[in-house]
Amino acid sequence: MLSTLQRSTRYLSAVSAARGLHKSALDVAERPAPEETVTSSFGRFIQSVQPRHLSPTVLQRSKRMVLDSIGVGLLGSTTDVFDLALQHCQHMYAPDDVSFVYGRRGMKLSPTLAAFVNGVAAHSMDFDDTWHPATHPSGAVLPALLAISDMLHNNSKPSGLDFLTAFNVGIEIQGRLMRFSNEARNIPKRFHPPSVVGTLGSAAACARLLSLDRNQCSNALAIAASLAGAPMANAATQSKPLHIGNASRLGLEAALLASRGLEASPLVLDAVPGVAGFSAFYEDYAPHPISSLEEDEHSFLIETQDIAFKRFPAHLGMHWIADAAGVVHKTLVGLKEGSISPNLVQDILLRVPLSKYINRPFPETEHQARHSFQFNACTALLDGEVTVQSFQPEALLRPELQALLSRVRLEHPHDNPANFNIMYGEVEVTLVSGDVLRGRCDTFYGHWRNPLSQESLQKKFRSNAGTVLSNERVERLIEAVEGLDRLDDCKPVLAQLQ
């Protein structure tokens, strides 16, 4: 029976197997250099990024993303969805003790399966970060990079800077691809973005961490494109977390296949008339080559476009309406000097963007509740806030909440588009007395325009990670991630997650 070291070596062979396959004897100096395509420019970018290209702002923001993603993943390991995914991997695949699993001490899976289940954990409660254009960038990338790092021998673990470089490559590729489409800037209707750009982001990050060459990096993206895509119809179900688990896993698989020499379309990211590549996912896709890192105009998108971190586990749009309802709650408490009774309320009007999959008048499951303007507004009206506990069955089904839900109406003003960068939430409550109370939120605390402080982010992490780790391990993780760019290798992070 193979030892863990032998199994790790088997995976590592995938990285080096293709090193010589692309050096043909026909590649002589006289051959003219091919014209750079969009796809080849992305391969060049992935292969050429170095730690020196990461500014202090990029490093700090990406470390915040890593910390938050680990925290929501650890909390997510307590969910039913995670348990189902983990049981499936244990029962359907041969044991392969290589890479750790969130929240399961002593348990390891193959790197690709560990990337899958840990990706599922990261999105199992919809608590993970959100970017603009709309996607969840970290959950698709981080589990794959952690799985690879755990796979590598102790004397060849990536440095903290190399790890962050690969992470930022994966984030950057997602952002660049989404900016080629105006459609991608709005709350999605067709494909769930992490299942599309997240898969290619994972492939790019893994290709960079595995030091693949330029052609292999391009092939990894093209292979990932054949493994990408999941429909929005599965939002608000137990299957939605699979989108990010698959993005992480399949991106890693794409990079490993490319490392073995598997080839794919050299024009997958280009706009080729009559042949859909990445344009299959976005109808108005208009790509252009990514600039060289040495050109003055190039900077990482995260430098200017920060990330939104959620204060409670629900679709990002819920944070506007919950904060607006919280304003009304404070007024009601002041008027009545006590608990709020549905008998006081005649009508509740929510002014929100038009988006069908987050318009759920009477949610029946926690996943539906996380995607319901009505539920999150009424919860905040009753309790003053929405929390992790708000989605437990006893909170979801309480009579006073159901009574408020029956009084809710929605309006979709023309000046309130389904776009996380410019939308707002407004709550208007008419009391039986005839009084009308209003609350509005234009930018909630945690949005990229009003980011969580480091203290708030660490408080969220301690609460999430503390559900499965000791206080000592939680503090060590905070310290390790904060100093990740100064670590000779990433073992101090991995050690706390084993």
Side-chain angles (χ1 to χ4, degrees), residues 196-309:
V196 179
V197 297
T199 309
L200 275 72
S202 172
C206 294
R208 179 63 188 83
L209 196 64
L210 295 171
S211 301
L212 302 193
D213 65 33
R214 176 174 173 171
N215 286 335
Q216 290 171 326
C217 290
S218 296
N219 281 324
L221 292 177
I223 295 166
S226 283
L227 305 175
M232 285 304 301
N234 270 328
T237 74
Q238 287 188 323
S239 288
K240 188 178 179 229
L242 302 183
H243 298 177
I244 286 188
N246 277 328
S248 189
R249 169 190 182 174
L250 297 175
L252 172 53
E253 290 193 350
L256 291 175
L257 287 167
S259 77
R260 287 189 176 276
L262 187 70
E263 297 179 344
S265 169
L267 297 173
V268 73
L269 299 183
D270 293 75
V272 180
V275 180
F278 192 77
S279 61
F281 299 111
Y282 297 102
E283 294 177 339
D284 62 347
Y285 180 70
H288 53 79
I290 193 168
S291 62
S292 168
L293 286 157
E294 305 308 326
E295 296 178 16
D296 291 338
E297 67 268 20
H298 182 89
S299 64
F300 281 83
L301 294 171
I302 195 66
E303 183 93 42
T304 54
Q305 176 61 68
D306 204 352
I307 295 286
F309 295 110

Side-chain angles (χ1 to χ4, degrees), residues 297-468:
E297 67 268 20
H298 182 89
S299 64
F300 281 83
L301 294 171
I302 195 66
E303 183 93 42
T304 54
Q305 176 61 68
D306 204 352
I307 295 286
F309 295 110
K310 299 175 180 178
R311 303 193 321 273
F312 58 88
H315 183 277
L316 193 72
M318 305 305 107
H319 288 65
W320 279 273
I321 206 67
D323 279 12
V327 172
V328 177
H329 170 88
K330 289 180 181 178
T331 305
L332 276 171
V333 169
L335 287 174
K336 301 302 175 183
E337 298 182 354
S339 61
I340 296 170
S341 168
N343 296 329
L344 301 173
V345 177
Q346 177 177 307
D347 180 74
I348 302 170
L349 175 62
L350 310 182
R351 295 188 177 96
V352 293
L354 177 62
S355 183
K356 186 175 180 60
Y357 82 99
I358 45 180
N359 176 4
R360 299 179 185 273
F362 296 97
E364 297 178 355
T365 69
E366 61 166 298
H367 299 284
Q368 293 177 5
R370 299 183 199 280
H371 296 76
S372 168
F373 279 130
Q374 295 89 334
F375 172 86
N376 287 275
C378 291
T379 296
L381 282 173
L382 281 174
D383 304 329
E385 62 179 347
V386 183
T387 68
V388 172
Q389 289 72 35
S390 298
F391 302 93
Q392 296 298 316
E394 56 272 19
L396 178 64
L397 300 175
R398 52 186 164 156
E400 58 270 33
L401 178 67
Q402 297 299 314
L404 284 184
L405 288 172
S406 68
R407 294 164 170 77
V408 176
R409 297 181 295 120
L410 266 58
E411 285 185 358
H412 308 294
H414 294 301
D415 67 343
N416 196 4
N419 182 308
F420 291 145
N421 206 38
I422 52 179
M423 67 171 282
Y424 63 85
E426 200 168 83
V427 176
E428 183 177 289
V429 176
T430 302
L431 303 180
V432 293
S433 64
D435 293 328
V436 178
L437 308 177
R438 295 181 179 88
R440 176 172 170 132
C441 176
D442 293 298
T443 303
F444 65 85
Y445 181 47
H447 190 271
W448 43 82
R449 289 193 300 270
N450 186 20
L452 292 184
S453 68
Q454 193 66 7
E455 181 182 2
S456 294
L457 190 73
Q458 290 183 0
K459 180 180 179 181
K460 175 186 174 182
F461 179 81
R462 289 186 175 97
S463 176
N464 290 341
T467 59
V468 295

Side-chain angles (χ1 to χ4, degrees), residues 14-175:
V15 179
S16 58
R19 292 295 185 194
L21 294 183
H22 297 279
K23 296 181 179 179
S24 168
L26 297 177
D27 290 334
V28 294
E30 290 77 12
R31 173 179 288 183
E35 181 179 349
E36 185 169 68
T37 63
V38 174
T39 307
S40 65
S41 76
F42 272 65
R44 167 185 43 76
F45 172 82
I46 295 167
Q47 186 270 332
S48 61
V49 174
Q50 298 298 322
R52 70 176 185 274
H53 296 126
L54 306 182
S55 71
T57 297
V58 171
L59 285 172
Q60 182 59 24
R61 288 180 173 177
S62 56
K63 287 190 294 185
R64 282 163 58 87
M65 294 166 71
V66 169
L67 185 70
D68 185 71
S69 187
I70 290 174
V72 298
L74 289 168
L75 178 63
S77 71
T78 66
T79 63
D80 292 341
V81 173
F82 177 82
D83 281 340
L84 290 171
L86 181 58
Q87 290 169 23
H88 170 73
C89 292
Q90 290 176 303
H91 295 161
M92 295 302 296
Y93 298 92
D96 211 347
D97 302 336
V98 176
S99 300
F100 76 88
V101 173
Y102 279 146
R104 296 295 187 274
R105 190 170 187 174
M107 180 180 295
K108 292 199 171 190
L109 298 172
S110 71
T112 54
L113 292 182
F116 170 67
V117 297
N118 290 340
V120 168
H123 196 57
S124 63
M125 299 173 70
D126 223 302
F127 211 178
D128 44 339
D129 57 19
T130 305
W131 210 14
H132 177 71
T135 193
H136 305 287
S138 297
V141 171
L142 184 63
L145 293 180
L146 290 171
I148 292 175
S149 299
D150 216 12
M151 174 184 81
L152 295 170
H153 298 303
N154 273 333
N155 59 359
S156 58
K157 301 287 187 193
S159 71
L161 262 179
D162 286 338
F163 187 95
L164 286 170
T165 300
F167 179 80
N168 276 287
V169 165
I171 303 303
E172 183 76 3
I173 293 302
Q174 295 180 69

